[in-house]
Amino acid sequence: MLFKTILEIPGEPAFTWYSLFQLYFSLGFAIGVVVLGLMFYFIYRYREDRSTESEDIKPGRIPTERGNLKVILGFLGITAIVLYSLTIYSIPLTSYIEDVPEGDDVIVIDVIGFQWGWRFIYPNGTESVGEVKVPVGKTVVFRVTSLDILHNFKIRDFRTGVDAVPGAYTYIWISPHEPGEYIIQCYELCGVGHANMVAKLIVG
Amino acid sequence: MVEKPDYYSIKHWLTTTNHKDIGILYLFTSLYFLMVGGSLALLFRLQLAFPWLNILDASAYNQAVTMHGLIMVLWAVSPLAFAFANYLVPLQIGARDLAFPRLNALSYWLYLFSGLLAAVTFFIPGGAPDVGWTYYAPLSTARFSPQPGVTLAGLALVMLIASVTVSTINFIVTVATMRAPGLGWSKIPMFTWSILFTVLLMLFAFSPLAAGVLLLAVDRVFGTAFYTSPEGGTFLWGHLFWFFGHPEVYIVLMPALGIIGDVIETFTRKPLFGRKYILLSMAAASFISFIVYVHHMFNTGMHPIVREVMSLTTESISVPFGIIMLSFIFSLYKAKIKVTTPFLFAIGSIFLFIIGGITGVFNSSIPLNHLIRGTYWVVAHLHYAMVGATLFGLLAGLYYWYPKMTGRMYNERLGKIHFAIAFIGFNVLYLPMFIIYDMPRRVYTYSVPEWIPFNQLETLGGYIFGISFLLLVYNFYKSYRVGAPAGNNPWGGWSLEWLTQSPPPPHNFDFEPVITGDQVTLYTNGGQPEPHIEHMTSLPMYLSLGVFVTFLGFVISTPLFIIGVILTLAVLAKWMWSDVLNKFVIPEPVKSERWPFENTSKLKLGVWILVITEAMLFAGLIGAYSLIRVNMMGEWPPGPLVHDVRLGGINTIVLLTSSLTVALAVAYSKFGNERNILLSLLASLGLAGLFIGIKAIEWSELFAEGFTLTSSLAASTYYVLTSVHAAHVLGGMIVMLYLITKVLKGGYKSGGYEGVENFGIYWHFIDIVWIFLFALFYLL
């Protein structure tokens, strides 16, 4: 669903993700409404039967230039400012979400994607397929790779995911606050078993 | 006056080279593929509405999704734009035809048969490709997808790339050298401009893709490991595919923007707001589109700084599009707007593009991308851009130019109803996807109950959208028979296509348009139009058929393959023979506006553009080489240890000497010294043969040492790159044979030795490529 209430969010980085998404969404929505509103106003205001303007397009006559550089630079300025401030604003968030947390209380779990399932290897060497258990309140790092082809390891309730690339490691982390069962699913087409390439994340 | 061709004869349509006829062929073919791609979509929408049903099982679903993507992007939407490009670009610039009409026919037939080749995969064992239209390796390699359909569709892609390359050359040369007298660059209508940007993008984007597909085909057929080894693998494909894939989005979009520009200008009755800046923005966007593609690989663990930079460039590409959209909207300011069907579709297109654009900005954010990669957010966004903005824009064009193409008016009320239903259907189809945006794409079933009602809504929207097209078909069919005569200029448009009859005569203008200042006059030239010769030829059709049979046979049956090769070679020989006899000569336009190409012939410009596409092909291959070699680090053996530098050096000298003799031939051609031209060409031919011979010796020695095609990645790379180069040398040798024959037959008696000179450009290029390959493989 588009938005979730704060109680439905099971932990980080989903909180951060939603805050950024909401920023993008509200800005995007506002800009969309203004721009499209302007468009519809112009169409309403300058319709043939209401407009008193002259017709300047004549057959066989190359139209003259209209509009001025100042207005265009205004367009440029507005779009550039909005876009670049969003980017600059999200640089610290990017490193927050992307930097792999380190420390003694961080649990690192190896994840190996394969056609079609997920294998998890805990720090103590025990393995499990299709299910991974993590404690509440701890930060868990998933070190992801693939046995065969490109997969995408996604924990949608935590708003995070990363590609599982054969021959390479990629990392994501979660920090769950809410006990419960969550879905881990492959988000990159990987053959006939793709739709059912799911695993359970058990927090608690 | 010219006799009107018989439009009811099948032979006419198989042999025509007239740009308007080719445009009509493109139109019907692309609408056919649009229907095929659309039907596939309706099929899998049905499955998604009832996820517990098995209307499509996993494999069938993946096939449907893959073919839907491939067909829609490559064989439906982009060619639909080229239907208009073919029909209208020569009209808009006041030319009689495209620069190379026969090659234009070849473009069309290659396009048609490549599409059929892709469609045939449904009917061969193992079915159509099911790896997603992005063909991600290693899923698309033989180990994970052994079915022949994947190879066959790849070959179809190669054929389409050939078609696109020929079109690219044709359109650039046409716009550059065949504009009506006085029609400077600043006076060209928006649509023609947009096609120019489109083909420029194609020029740089498509041949690296050919490199990527070639490596995939070699992997699949000969068992190399470009995409199965971690040194190449996912990343290699990702780079080669998305370097093409992202500009492709703008290749598809650009013509629609041009159409919107023309439509807005006509129906607001005012010049576009900031037309110059719109064009500058298009140029900027075209350039930036080549440096954003890594955002498709944000989740692959690529270096963070690369991703931050690409995130910034991705944001940046929104800036020119922001300017374009705002300028379009401000064009409505102080206008006198006539709300017609094309205008509605244009406005609809802007509306949907703005939604598609804003939701696209989300994708450029690295943190947000962690979730939305691979979700319905992306599906919705890309359809708002590629179906909403693009298809609605193209439909605006279809309604706008229908009276020009048929000479009849369509039913305006039905057109508006079509718009309303299509617009509503479209939004019912795609808006809900933004609500359940965390649903994974490309799954045939799902188990989240909250997603079901939204999916059912989407399916409903899909059927409304699909069925709305029946109205268009009915409207156009009925109006073609009983519509009111449209006259030359039903909309009061300013551009040149509205100054001739509807439909235009085969030669486009009875009297030549001449532009002085901002005024177009039809130059009467003593009252009689210049004579126009229609060239009819079946060679392009047979050549494409030959390639079709060859590729199909290559994958499914050897006898068929042999038949195909024989057919292809026979048609090529016949084509060259007819050129030796100068059966097909189009005079260089004398009075046309062609700054800055006043002293460059059409053919020469065409060869230069060909060289650019070839350079991009080798750039793709050498890029692959670099990526693999860097990833292998110490494991790639240094060149001198494997290769015989002395023998390679001798071969380099042989090839460079052939460049010298070709240069001699070019020099002699300036003086018309026939005997010496022949001698230099024969010497070049001999040297080229020697080059191939020495290469054969080298290869057999390497094979004897166990350095074979599949022995290591270094070996595979060496053999693929050098054989692509050798194929170019062989191609050059065939052209030399052709030139020699033509000189002997006296084919150059009338107009210099242009062919020799242009061949020189190509041959020097091939030699330069070899110097690179020599350095990369032998010395480093």
Side-chain angles (χ1 to χ4, degrees), chain B residues 479-657:
Chain B
S479 308
Y480 184 71
R481 309 191 66 175
V482 300
N488 289 4
N489 193 355
W491 309 125
W494 67 267
S495 46
L496 268 56
E497 78 266 31
W498 302 111
L499 301 183
T500 186
Q501 296 98 298
S502 307
H507 50 284
N508 288 351
F509 297 92
D510 280 347
F511 302 107
E512 277 197 39
V514 174
I515 292 92
T516 25
D518 63 353
Q519 195 59 47
V520 186
T521 33
L522 294 176
Y523 189 62
T524 49
N525 195 19
Q528 273 301 312
E530 284 176 38
H532 177 76
I533 312 145
E534 282 281 282
H535 293 278
M536 311 299 275
T537 170
S538 56
L539 290 172
M541 193 261 291
Y542 281 119
L543 184 59
S544 312
L545 180 67
V547 178
F548 173 84
V549 175
T550 308
F551 282 174
L552 187 62
F554 182 69
V555 173
I556 66 168
S557 126
T558 314
L560 202 60
F561 174 66
I562 294 167
I563 295 173
V565 170
I566 293 171
L567 179 61
T568 310
L569 291 179
V571 179
L572 263 181
K574 180 140 197 274
W575 192 318
M576 288 194 165
W577 188 245
S578 77
D579 268 12
V580 165
L581 303 177
N582 283 327
K583 280 199 174 157
F584 193 93
V585 177
I586 291 163
E588 194 78 21
V590 269
K591 285 175 292 184
S592 66
E593 178 76 32
R594 51 196 301 173
W595 183 84
F597 299 105
E598 287 95 345
N599 300 316
T600 316
S601 72
K602 288 192 302 186
L603 198 58
K604 190 174 203 169
L605 187 58
V607 172
W608 273 113
I609 298 164
L610 177 70
V611 165
I612 296 177
T613 67
E614 296 278 29
M616 288 309 292
L617 173 72
F618 282 104
L621 290 171
I622 292 174
Y625 159 94
S626 317
L627 189 103
I628 294 170
R629 186 152 186 179
V630 167
N631 283 343
M632 279 176 75
M633 291 190 282
E635 286 167 56
W636 183 293
L641 289 186
V642 181
H643 299 285
D644 188 341
V645 180
R646 227 173 22 168
L647 202 54
I650 292 172
N651 223 4
T652 309
I653 292 168
V654 168
L655 200 60
L656 289 183
T657 317

Side-chain angles (χ1 to χ4, degrees), chain A residues 1-4 17-18 20-21 24-29 31-32 35-36 38-40 42-44 46-49 51-69 71-72 75-76 78-80 82-84 86-87 90-91 93-95 97-98 115 147-152 154-157 159-172 185-196, chain B residues 58-59 62 66 130-132 136-139 143-144 183 187 230 234-235 265-266 269-277 299-301 304 307-308 311-312 315-316 318-319 322-323 326-327 329-339 343 347 350-351 354-355 358 361-362 365-375 377 434-445 448 450-451 454 489 492-494 499 515 517-520:
Chain A
M1 295 294 140
L2 209 47
F3 297 113
K4 284 212 159 77
W17 191 93
Y18 273 108
L20 188 64
F21 180 74
Y24 269 75
F25 194 89
S26 29
L27 252 177
F29 196 83
I31 291 171
V35 171
L36 292 174
L38 197 65
M39 179 172 89
F40 286 121
F42 283 159
I43 297 174
Y44 166 81
Y46 297 108
R47 255 183 76 157
E48 197 174 14
D49 41 9
S51 171
T52 52
E53 304 292 328
S54 59
E55 297 196 13
D56 296 345
I57 296 290
K58 303 250 159 52
R61 169 94 58 82
I62 314 260
T64 47
E65 285 287 335
R66 190 159 79 109
N68 65 57
L69 187 58
V71 181
I72 301 286
F75 295 164
L76 184 118
I78 292 167
T79 27
V82 171
L83 289 167
Y84 293 134
L86 274 178
T87 315
S90 43
I91 285 176
L93 296 182
T94 303
S95 43
I97 286 184
E98 295 229 314
Q115 279 182 323
L147 198 63
D148 38 42
I149 59 172
L150 189 65
H151 301 279
N152 183 281
K154 184 112 54 206
I155 318 172
R156 61 172 167 261
D157 290 312
R159 283 337 200 211
T160 189
V162 75
D163 280 358
V165 186
Y169 289 106
T170 50
Y171 300 84
I172 53 166
Q185 190 164 359
C186 177
Y187 270 62
E188 176 58 55
L189 180 62
C190 58
V192 287
H194 169 56
N196 300 314
Chain B
S59 165
N62 289 349
T66 303
D130 59 355
V131 295
Y136 274 147
L139 177 60
R143 190 174 141 210
F144 300 101
L183 191 70
K187 298 172 186 172
T234 305
F235 277 98
E265 215 158 40
T266 299
R269 312 307 299 152
K270 288 280 178 188
L272 272 185
F273 187 91
R275 181 188 136 93
K276 239 190 327 218
Y277 305 105
N299 280 190
T300 49
R307 286 183 294 153
E308 283 291 1
S311 173
L312 265 177
E315 303 260 356
S316 303
S318 310
V319 175
I323 295 175
L326 288 169
S327 300
I329 290 172
F330 269 72
S331 300
L332 307 170
Y333 175 66
K334 292 204 167 180
K336 200 172 177 66
I337 298 168
K338 295 186 193 323
V339 181
F343 180 78
I347 291 300
I350 294 174
F351 185 101
I354 286 171
I355 296 180
I358 290 175
V361 173
F362 288 61
S365 157
I366 299 173
L368 294 182
N369 214 273
H370 279 276
L371 177 84
I372 56 189
R373 151 144 167 66
T375 63
W377 183 275
F434 284 125
I435 301 175
I436 49 163
Y437 63 99
D438 52 2
M439 175 168 164
R441 60 193 287 205
R442 295 165 168 169
V443 289
Y444 76 105
T445 185
V448 180
E450 296 99 82
W451 289 348
F454 292 101
N489 193 355
W494 67 267
L499 301 183
I515 292 92
D518 63 353
Q519 195 59 47
V520 186

